Amino acid sequence: VQLQASGGGLVQAGGSLRLSCAASGRTLSDYYMGWFRQAPGKEREFVAAIDWSVGSTDYADSVKGRFTISRSNAKNTGYLQMNSLKPEDTAVYYCAASISRTRYKSRYNYWGQGTLVTVSS
């Protein structure tokens, strides 16, 4: 599976962005897709994930109510809609795929290249 993340950019606090994660090589229907982020000098952390086949979702407390993860089976693409962005959301965002339902980054087998989100105050 190859993953390509896109959609990052510069946005003011309170604004919105939508990230995309396009998959190729095989369908993601057998996978759990996650979004992670890594701020400068910090560990990569879990943001959100979706069970591709049934659509159930999981969110980190820090983004719950502001971010929404979704997917398009037809496009084999996942999305992360980010609203009410805060400066502390500034990070490189990565999409990843795992055969396990998990928040642990070590259990994700496939990773996209990352897309930078910068939120100005």
Side-chain angles (χ1 to χ4, degrees):
V1 176
Q2 292 81 44
L3 302 175
Q4 179 78 31
S6 62
L10 174 64
V11 63
Q12 288 188 333
S16 299
L17 279 175
R18 188 177 81 156
L19 305 183
S20 298
C21 180
S24 60
R26 63 176 298 172
T27 177
L28 288 181
S29 60
D30 296 328
Y31 291 88
Y32 197 63
M33 193 196 79
W35 286 95
F36 291 77
R37 67 186 182 187
Q38 188 167 17
K42 294 189 176 181
E43 292 285 323
R44 191 172 299 188
E45 65 176 3
F46 171 80
V47 175
I50 186 166
D51 186 322
W52 199 273
S53 60
V54 298
S56 57
T57 57
D58 184 24
Y59 296 94
D61 287 345
S62 58
V63 306
K64 199 173 293 184
R66 299 188 299 122
F67 290 11
T68 303
I69 189 171
S70 63
R71 87 290 193 216
S72 166
N73 287 314
K75 296 182 178 180
N76 209 28
T77 297
Y79 304 98
L80 185 69
Q81 177 67 42
M82 307 185 295
N83 298 330
S84 302
L85 283 161
K86 305 175 181 180
E88 51 263 43
D89 294 318
T90 294
V92 177
Y93 283 72
Y94 299 87
C95 59
S98 172
I99 59 173
S100 303
R101 185 185 182 96
T102 181
R103 290 187 173 196
Y104 294 103
K105 58 183 180 290
S106 61
R107 296 183 183 174
Y108 281 77
N109 310 90
Y110 306 99
W111 290 84
Q113 84 287 6
T115 185
L116 177 63
V117 172
T118 304
V119 184
S120 63
S121 57

